[in-house]
Amino acid sequence: MQFNIKDAKQREKLLCEIVYYIMTIGYKDMRKFLHIPADYVTEGGFELGRIWAELQDLYNQNQLTEEEIRFLLKIRMQLTDSPQKDLGIWLDRADEVEKYFKAHGTLSMPNTTLFRDGASMFQWVHQQKKVQKQCGLSKYQKERLESMGIQWIKPKKVTGWEEGYQYAKQFFEENGHLFVPNKYSAPDGFALGKWIQEQRNRYLGLSRWEISDEKIDMLEDIGMFWEDIQNAEWDWFVGLLRECIRKTKKPFTIHRNYRYKNYPLGEKVGNAIEQYGNGRLTKEQEKDIRKAGFQFNIHIR
């Protein structure tokens, strides 16, 4: 018979035959997946082994819907050789990532982005790239992630100034600013903090190298400040705080991990609160954030 997984009656028939198979052979293996020989035929002539193998092939060819995949997982079919053995959890994660993609149009996200259960969505997305590189995801997993714009291979690495600029741009996209600590290095070891400081030195004439107007414009487009950095960052923080408070239209609690326009506003507010508590926040700074609409007795948690 030609099995049609979209037919509810045929799915019910398959489920019954599997239960009968387990009872007939006294299947006691309680491992996650059920293994049925490809040549297995029931006493009633149902070609269970062939149908089982054909369904696995359909999955491998990415010809099944998510609902159909979940049905096969329910009947304990192993669908992938990926190290991510629990495909059901993978599907749940992919659903949440897909919602993020639909809301933002990209899988480029802050490293603080979490799933509903508190796990890191940012780390999960990067883990998929790692698995794909090392041993490969299934075709279904790979194509589903590709439909959300995941990039498996980083763009060809460029050298010189353009390389540093790409790191700076990525930092800006993930953090909403370009106030990079001097000692900061990218995950792969690129000394971005030193590179940023070198660009400032070139702009201020403190380096033997020069920087072109074109490069100045490119850096300013991603949030570069050249002089009085400490005050510039403070002014940036106060400006975003003022905008954030006004847009909420009512008092709200600012949590430590709260981000606004990808800027770690909650962290900066927390630092200001600590400085206020130990007397290190200057009167001028206190005045600035109060004028921005921040009220210590309302916004502190």
Side-chain angles (χ1 to χ4, degrees):
M1 64 170 287
Q2 184 67 32
F3 183 81
N4 182 8
I5 192 173
K6 301 184 185 301
D7 188 309
K9 291 184 177 180
Q10 291 195 39
R11 287 202 304 270
E12 185 177 350
K13 170 67 174 174
L14 175 63
L15 184 58
C16 291
E17 292 292 350
I18 289 173
V19 172
Y20 183 75
Y21 169 78
I22 293 173
M23 294 174 61
T24 300
I25 68 172
Y27 196 86
K28 297 180 180 180
D29 191 340
M30 299 306 293
R31 291 179 301 177
K32 181 176 180 62
F33 304 115
L34 180 66
H35 300 280
I36 301 176
D39 59 354
Y40 181 84
V41 180
T42 68
E43 291 183 5
F46 188 84
E47 297 178 295
L48 181 59
R50 177 184 62 78
I51 293 172
W52 191 262
E54 288 178 355
L55 289 172
Q56 288 178 315
D57 287 341
L58 287 175
Y59 171 78
N60 292 334
Q61 296 167 22
N62 193 20
Q63 295 184 23
L64 299 176
T65 65
E66 181 175 340
E67 179 185 4
E68 292 162 354
I69 292 172
R70 289 187 182 276
F71 167 75
L72 296 180
L73 290 173
K74 184 178 179 180
I75 61 176
R76 299 172 63 188
M77 178 181 286
Q78 183 172 9
L79 295 176
T80 176
D81 293 327
S82 166
Q84 298 170 122
K85 294 180 180 178
D86 197 334
L87 186 57
I89 294 177
W90 190 96
L91 291 170
D92 293 338
R93 296 291 197 219
D95 286 346
E96 286 194 56
V97 171
E98 190 165 23
K99 288 179 181 177
Y100 181 94
F101 174 73
K102 289 179 179 178
H104 299 86
T106 179
L107 289 190
S108 178
M109 62 185 67
N111 56 16
T112 54
T113 306
L114 305 177
F115 289 107
R116 286 193 300 268
D117 62 4
S120 173
M121 182 181 294
F122 175 87
Q123 291 295 335
W124 186 87
V125 170
H126 282 269
Q127 177 66 14
Q128 307 315 301
K129 299 178 183 180
K130 184 177 180 180
V131 172
Q132 174 62 16
K133 180 179 180 180
Q134 291 178 343
C135 50
L137 297 163
S138 71
K139 187 174 181 181
Y140 169 82
Q141 292 171 314
K142 181 173 179 290
E143 293 189 6
R144 181 162 184 194
L145 290 169
E146 286 174 350
S147 72
M148 294 182 261
I150 196 169
Q151 299 292 323
W152 301 115
I153 302 174
K154 291 182 178 179
K156 185 178 179 180
K157 194 172 183 180
V158 292
T159 58
W161 191 90
E162 182 65 24
E163 177 186 15
Y165 176 77
Q166 291 302 325
Y167 278 102
K169 185 177 180 182
Q170 181 177 350
F171 183 94
F172 175 77
E173 290 173 349
E174 293 178 356
N175 297 278
H177 63 89
L178 211 57
F179 300 112
V180 184
N182 288 343
K183 294 182 179 180
Y184 175 83
S185 294
D188 64 359
F190 183 83
L192 180 59
K194 291 183 178 180
W195 186 88
I196 291 289
Q197 186 57 50
E198 169 62 20
Q199 306 316 302
R200 289 200 179 100
N201 289 342
R202 293 183 184 189
Y203 178 87
L204 298 171
L206 302 176
S207 170
R208 64 191 183 113
W209 307 104
E210 296 182 350
I211 184 170
S212 68
D213 291 341
E214 179 184 4
K215 291 177 179 177
I216 291 172
D217 290 341
M218 289 173 68
L219 286 168
E220 288 180 347
D221 285 343
I222 58 173
M224 184 71 156
F225 285 87
W226 304 104
E227 303 178 70
D228 200 4
I229 301 306
Q230 187 173 357
N231 286 333
E233 184 169 7
W234 176 262
D235 290 342
W236 178 276
F237 156 63
V238 171
L240 286 181
L241 180 62
R242 179 186 301 110
E243 179 183 321
C244 178
I245 291 175
R246 288 182 178 178
K247 284 195 172 184
T248 62
K249 298 181 181 179
K250 60 181 179 180
F252 68 106
T253 299
I254 299 178
H255 299 270
R256 186 78 184 184
N257 62 349
Y258 179 78
R259 301 179 76 87
Y260 180 72
K261 291 187 174 179
N262 244 356
Y263 184 81
L265 192 63
E267 178 183 342
K268 299 299 180 181
V269 167
N271 293 340
I273 291 171
E274 291 176 6
Q275 292 172 351
Y276 175 78
N278 58 32
R280 291 189 295 112
L281 191 69
T282 68
K283 293 294 183 182
E284 190 64 31
Q285 288 175 326
E286 181 183 344
K287 181 180 178 181
D288 284 344
I289 59 177
R290 287 190 184 278
K291 285 176 66 177
F294 183 85
Q295 300 177 46
F296 285 90
N297 62 328
I298 294 179
H299 296 104
I300 296 177
R301 181 174 180 176

